[in-house]
Amino acid sequence: MDKIRQSTLHGEVAERVRDLIAQGVLAPGSRVPEKQLCEQFGVSRTPLREALKVLAHEGFVELLPNRGARVAKLTRTTLKNTFEVMQSLEALAGELAGARISDPELANIEALHYQMLAHYKSGNMQEYLLTNQQIHEAIVVASQNDVLIDVYKNLNHRVRRVRFTAELSSDYWSQAVSEHEAMIEALRKRDGKELGSILSCHLRNKVEVSALEEMAE
């Protein structure tokens, strides 16, 4: 991993730590290894601790008096509440993207969709989930609403390790692919209302997958 330039300070440090949490490298409930991260990022303790304050405010970590910080756990209630908000955000993003998406953005999402289908047909769930995540993020970006994008990004970081890593049953996986096919058709038609409805239903179905509840403590 590349060293962080001192000029970027705690903002980039916070982004790196968010990614480590989202990827599951820093597990829920585990202590944040400050010394190790400082060495890994090439920074002093000061920007890291400032970053941890930001992450504590965002709900990613808990600050422990005189004992550093630990990664916050995702409870079933927190997970459910977060997905309820994200369901509304993705529905709104879909409505806006239907009206605002550019031709290059649509072409990019279509290309990602075909990659995702290839991973589905080959049974490569890890790559499927990664591409799936990129599609959802690209649709949100296509909304061209910076406030929505920022709020979504923050919430998505919190649940990404659950949403895009859970093992899928064959029935749910097939259903999810069908829903993605419908998303692409709605985008091609620039039908934001239909796309928003599909995205809302798609995420609601995701919340109901038992694997999510099993992964949340």
Side-chain angles (χ1 to χ4, degrees), residues 14 17-19 21-22 28-29 32 52 54-62 70-73 153-161:
V17 177
R18 281 191 204 96
D19 284 340
I21 293 172
V32 176
L52 291 176
V54 172
L55 295 174
H57 178 72
E58 295 174 349
F60 289 97
V61 304
E62 300 170 350
R70 68 184 172 199
V71 180
K73 293 183 178 181
K153 182 178 180 181
N154 179 272
L155 293 177
N156 196 41
H157 266 298
R158 297 191 195 187
V159 299
R160 195 171 76 191
R161 66 177 180 266

Side-chain angles (χ1 to χ4, degrees), residues 15 35 47:
E15 186 67 20
K35 182 179 179 181

Side-chain angles (χ1 to χ4, degrees), residues 29-207:
S30 67
R31 292 287 292 274
V32 176
E34 293 187 24
K35 182 179 179 181
Q36 176 185 328
L37 292 179
C38 286
E39 293 175 354
Q40 181 176 334
F41 298 154
V43 299
S44 67
R45 288 281 179 103
T46 299
L48 176 60
R49 287 175 175 171
E50 289 299 314
L52 291 176
K53 291 178 183 178
V54 172
L55 295 174
H57 178 72
E58 295 174 349
F60 289 97
V61 304
E62 300 170 350
L63 298 179
L64 307 173
N66 303 315
R67 291 184 293 138
R70 68 184 172 199
V71 180
K73 293 183 178 181
L74 274 177
T75 65
R76 287 185 175 86
T77 299
T78 299
L79 188 62
K80 178 178 179 293
N81 291 343
T82 303
F83 270 103
E84 284 177 348
V85 175
M86 292 187 69
Q87 182 179 332
S88 295
L89 289 176
E90 289 210 17
L92 176 58
E95 291 183 25
L96 295 175
R100 301 175 178 177
I101 192 169
S102 67
D103 289 340
E105 285 175 322
L106 176 57
N108 176 58
I109 292 173
E110 286 180 317
L112 288 170
H113 177 68
Y114 291 129
Q115 290 176 28
M116 189 191 72
L117 289 181
H119 296 316
Y120 169 66
K121 292 175 181 177
S122 66
N124 190 335
M125 187 173 294
Q126 181 177 357
E127 290 300 319
Y128 167 88
L129 289 168
L130 177 60
T131 311
N132 183 305
Q133 173 187 335
Q134 293 172 336
I135 291 170
H136 282 272
E137 291 174 350
I139 291 174
V140 172
V141 169
S143 72
Q144 299 179 31
N145 183 308
D146 290 340
V147 174
L148 189 159
I149 293 168
D150 286 344
V151 174
Y152 176 86
K153 182 178 180 181
N154 179 272
L155 293 177
N156 196 41
H157 266 298
R158 297 191 195 187
V159 299
R160 195 171 76 191
R161 66 177 180 266
V162 174
R163 181 179 182 185
F164 296 110
T165 59
E167 289 293 317
L168 308 178
S169 69
S170 58
D171 287 343
Y172 175 77
W173 199 358
S174 175
Q175 176 186 348
V177 169
S178 295
E179 290 169 355
H180 268 268
E181 292 275 20
M183 289 178 208
I184 295 299
E185 286 304 312
L187 269 175
R188 288 170 177 155
K189 293 186 295 184
R190 292 338 199 250
D191 190 334
K193 185 175 181 180
E194 180 180 352
L195 178 59
S197 177
I198 295 168
L199 283 164
S200 178
C201 180
H202 182 70
L203 193 50
R204 182 169 62 249
N205 290 340
K206 182 70 172 180
V207 177

